[in-house]
Amino acid sequence: MARSVQNLYCAGMPRPREFDENHVLLAIRDEFWDKGYAATTTDDLLRVSGLGKGSLYGAFGDKRSLFLRVLRDYDDANLLMLRERLASAARGIDVVREFVLGLTGDPTGAVARRGCLLANSNGELAASTPDVAAEARRTYDAIATVLTAALERAQGEGDLDPGVDPSEAARAALVAQLGLIALGRTGMDIGALTAMARSALARLLPAPAQ
Amino acid sequence: MARSVQNLYCAGMPRPREFDENHVLLAIRDEFWDKGYAATTTDDLLRVSGLGKGSLYGAFGDKRSLFLRVLRDYDDANLLMLRERLASAARGIDVVREFVLGLTGDPTGAVARRGCLLANSNGELAASTPDVAAEARRTYDAIATVLTAALERAQGEGDLDPGVDPSEAARAALVAQLGLIALGRTGMDIGALTAMARSALARLLPAPAQ
DNA sequence: TCCATTGTGGCCCGTTCGGTCCAGAACTTG
DNA sequence: CAAGTTCTGGACCGAACGGGCCACAATGGA
């Protein structure tokens, strides 16, 4: 049962990994993103990662663990990107506008049809996998916090009506983005989607009365 | 191959069905709603319907056809309900308010966590099943049309700022509702969700300036 | 050079999936 | 009552699923 203690100070060195973990995780993320959790088979994961079963299971555990890992990485990366945008943005309001308009940037509509991995996963799995729902709550709350900071800055910069509560408006922007993601998934005309996003932004983020 | 013609005028009458089709369809709808498409097994469907495999497949075809049937029935019923509400509502604006606040009506949050069958299905299957995406487009477009009519009435009744474009505001209300559905699925606090819904409504449906 | 250790990939297994099929039951008509 | 038709439910099937397992490769220290 227990390994002998002598192994602790007299161990051979293991064979190093032959694959790049980040590269594999991104390929797997794309597969889950395109197909959804249930529709992605283990064979799909092996194919896009180029690994064998032993390697994949040895490195990341089973399908569910791998999915949660990928989802958390995705969320963390997006949050980091949002915070960096706020840090480097010329104006706070630009961050919120870009956040809401995000999916409309691609004129082919492919990005809109693909949606957001977190939103898609939450829709598919929230009922059966509490971990996914909790992850979504955590992420959306963090996003709302960043957007609130952006709108507070926007008020100081004269881009947002001072009568607006930044926290409420930030949450309204989040709601709008999630609604646009849902509509984008239906494959509706990208021009109409863009118009809706702009119209919603105009209502939610009123400029100060001159 | 071809059946003889004499059967046409000399046929015995078949054994009648032993189940109520509507009752079965509602039970199956609830199962798909609670678990999602992929996570619902044929055994689940047999269990909740109380039928055997022969009956279920004979009456509705395979799992996919059955799901599409249930989804279309669900959409049609909701559209009909929305139109009837508009026809019988005291004020047009009430219809839109109820539409956006819909999921927040249950203080336990169970309704919000369950979400909307169409929104859930669209999130899970839009990428792989064009029929579902098309159904979602059709339904959301029809909803927007009804909401537009409701807001036009609201302007005539003095409940909505005449400067607001009813069609744009209706689509914004739809976006907001879809965003709230997505957030509700995360299981977030129902009070916070309600506050967000009310705050979004106040921004999207401004009363006329007195 | 040999050993200890971990990476590697594919073979293999039990389970469960969606779906078909069939033998008998129920029922109306002649 | 006999015939013809559909309904019913469960036995059955091939396929694909997720996952365990193992023989071998690669590596660096002793």
Side-chain angles (χ1 to χ4, degrees), chain A residues 73-113:
Chain A
D73 285 358
Y74 173 88
D75 290 340
D76 290 342
N78 278 6
L79 268 173
L80 187 63
M81 196 186 309
L82 190 64
R83 291 199 181 100
E84 284 175 351
R85 276 190 196 164
L86 178 58
S88 66
R91 292 174 167 272
I93 197 135
D94 292 341
V95 175
V96 184
R97 294 186 61 85
E98 278 172 27
F99 175 77
V100 174
L101 288 169
L103 293 184
T104 67
D106 170 29
T108 72
V111 169
R113 238 173 288 121

Side-chain angles (χ1 to χ4, degrees), chain A residues 176-197:
Chain A
Q177 197 233 22
L178 291 174
L180 290 166
I181 289 174
L183 275 179
R185 277 230 112 195
T186 67
M188 70 175 284
D189 176 69
I190 185 73
L193 191 70
T194 307
M196 291 168 72

Side-chain angles (χ1 to χ4, degrees), chain B residues 59-121:
Chain B
F60 306 110
D62 63 10
K63 184 185 172 186
R64 181 195 145 99
S65 307
L66 178 53
F67 177 77
L68 286 175
R69 163 74 183 273
V70 161
L71 181 60
R72 290 191 176 118
D73 286 357
Y74 173 87
D75 290 342
D76 290 342
N78 278 6
L79 269 173
L80 186 65
M81 196 186 311
L82 190 63
R83 292 199 180 99
E84 284 175 352
R85 276 189 195 166
L86 177 57
S88 67
R91 292 174 166 270
I93 196 128
D94 292 341
V95 175
V96 185
R97 295 186 59 86
E98 277 173 27
F99 175 78
V100 174
L101 288 170
L103 293 184
T104 67
D106 171 28
T108 72
V111 170
R113 237 173 289 120
R114 200 183 197 202
C116 163
L117 176 62
L118 175 59
N120 299 352
S121 305

Side-chain angles (χ1 to χ4, degrees), chain A residues 98-185:
Chain A
E98 278 172 27
F99 175 77
V100 174
L101 288 169
L103 293 184
T104 67
D106 170 29
T108 72
V111 169
R113 238 173 288 121
R114 199 182 198 205
C116 161
L117 176 61
L118 176 59
N120 299 352
S121 305
N122 186 54
E124 180 181 356
L125 302 172
S128 60
T129 314
D131 287 347
V132 172
E135 172 69 13
R137 280 198 303 273
R138 175 186 78 90
T139 304
Y140 291 142
D141 208 65
I143 288 175
T145 300
V146 179
L147 294 181
T148 301
L151 290 182
E152 285 168 350
R153 218 184 99 186
Q155 282 183 330
E157 290 163 348
D159 291 324
L160 179 66
D161 189 317
V164 170
D165 180 273
S167 172
E168 278 191 23
R171 279 161 218 280
L174 174 60
V175 168
Q177 197 233 22
L178 291 174
L180 290 166
I181 289 174
L183 275 179
R185 277 230 112 195

